Amino acid sequence: MTSYTELRKLNVNDKIEKKNGLSYLSWAFAVDTLLQADETATWEYLEDLRYGDTVMVRCAVTAFGRTRVAQLPVMDHRNKAIANPDSFQVNTAMQRCLAKAIALHGIGLYIYAGEDLPAEGADPRGDLSGVQAPLVDRHVKAIADILAMDADENAIAQMLRDHVAEHLQPNNELYISVADGLAEKGVISKANFKRYLLVGMERKRA
C-alpha cells in the first residue's frame, strides 16, 4: 500500500487552484488520487462548529487505517469568515475542507506548509530547520484578521485557539516566528498573545 511518505512527495502543482493569493488543491483530484492509493478510503463531514453567526466545517478522512480530521471556516473572497453563510458558501468550504483532510494523509500537504514543491526525502513531520517568511506572514495575517473580527469575544478567542492548535502547535519554531511577527507588526504582544490563548483575555494591542 502506498505510504504517507510517498504521497507527500507527489507534485500536484498542475492541480492547484489560485484565489486571492492562496493556493487550493482541486478536491476532485485529491479524491481521485486518494482512492487510487487506497480504494477503501472513506470520508464524512462532522457536525459544524458555530462561533456566533459564523460556521466552521469539519471533515474526517479515513485512509491507510487512520482517520484524520480537518476544519475550515466558511470564508468569503477576502478569506474572512462569513456571517450567516448560505448553502453554496457552505458547500464550497466543505469541498475545500475535504481536500485539506486528504492532504493530512500526504497528498498536497506541502501546499498548506507554504512550499512551492514537495520536499524530496524529507522527514514526514516537516522540516523545522527554517521557517519560510511567506508562511509566517500568512499566519500573521490570518491571526490579525481573526483578532479584528466584529464578533463575540468568546468566539474570537475560540477561533484563535483553533487556528493555533491546527497550524502552529505541532511546530514550535513556526509558533515562535508567528508570535514574533505579530509583535513586530503591532498586532498583539507575545505576552498578550500567549495569555489570550490560555484564558481568552480581552484583546490588547502591542
Side-chain angles (χ1 to χ4, degrees):
M1 182 178 290
T2 305
S3 70
Y4 168 86
T5 305
E6 293 172 307
L7 289 174
R8 72 185 297 274
K9 295 178 183 178
L10 290 176
N11 187 329
V12 299
N13 285 355
D14 62 337
K15 304 299 181 181
I16 291 176
E17 301 169 356
K18 296 278 189 178
K19 184 175 181 181
N20 297 316
L22 295 180
S23 299
Y24 301 92
L25 180 62
S26 162
W27 70 269
F29 170 80
V31 167
D32 181 58
T33 304
L34 177 69
L35 292 177
Q36 287 187 58
D38 179 3
E39 62 182 13
T40 68
T42 61
W43 55 90
E44 64 174 324
Y45 292 98
L46 308 179
E47 183 178 357
D48 295 340
L49 299 178
R50 294 187 174 270
Y51 303 107
D53 54 6
T54 63
V55 177
M56 182 88 73
V57 298
R58 297 187 296 160
C59 183
V61 171
T62 300
F64 316 110
R66 291 190 175 184
T67 299
R68 303 184 190 278
V69 178
Q71 59 190 30
L72 190 73
V74 180
M75 299 180 290
D76 61 17
H77 65 283
R78 297 168 299 173
N79 297 308
K80 290 192 175 184
I82 298 173
N84 301 311
D86 60 30
S87 59
F88 179 84
Q89 293 164 329
V90 172
N91 180 66
T92 298
M94 290 172 68
Q95 291 175 327
R96 289 179 177 169
C97 192
L98 171 58
K100 187 176 182 181
I102 290 174
L104 295 178
H105 290 279
I107 301 170
L109 185 60
Y110 68 91
I111 298 171
Y112 297 92
E115 304 287 349
D116 294 323
L117 292 170
E120 193 65 33
D123 185 324
R125 294 171 298 175
D127 180 9
L128 305 183
S129 61
V131 178
Q132 292 192 356
L135 178 59
V136 174
D137 290 342
R138 187 170 69 185
H139 286 299
V140 167
K141 181 181 184 305
I143 290 172
D145 286 345
I146 291 173
L147 290 169
M149 288 180 63
D150 182 16
D152 177 80
E153 193 67 33
N154 290 330
I156 293 289
Q158 188 58 56
M159 291 180 69
L160 181 60
R161 293 192 196 102
D162 287 341
H163 183 93
V164 171
E166 181 177 0
H167 299 288
L168 305 182
Q169 281 185 351
N171 184 336
N172 189 56
E173 183 179 348
L174 178 57
Y175 171 88
I176 293 173
S177 297
V178 170
D180 287 339
L182 289 166
E184 290 172 4
K185 292 182 180 297
V187 177
I188 189 170
S189 71
K190 292 177 69 174
N192 283 345
F193 182 48
K194 182 176 181 180
R195 283 155 54 192
Y196 194 100
L197 293 175
L198 293 174
V199 299
M201 61 174 285
E202 181 180 355
R203 280 172 283 176
K204 294 182 179 179
R205 301 299 176 182

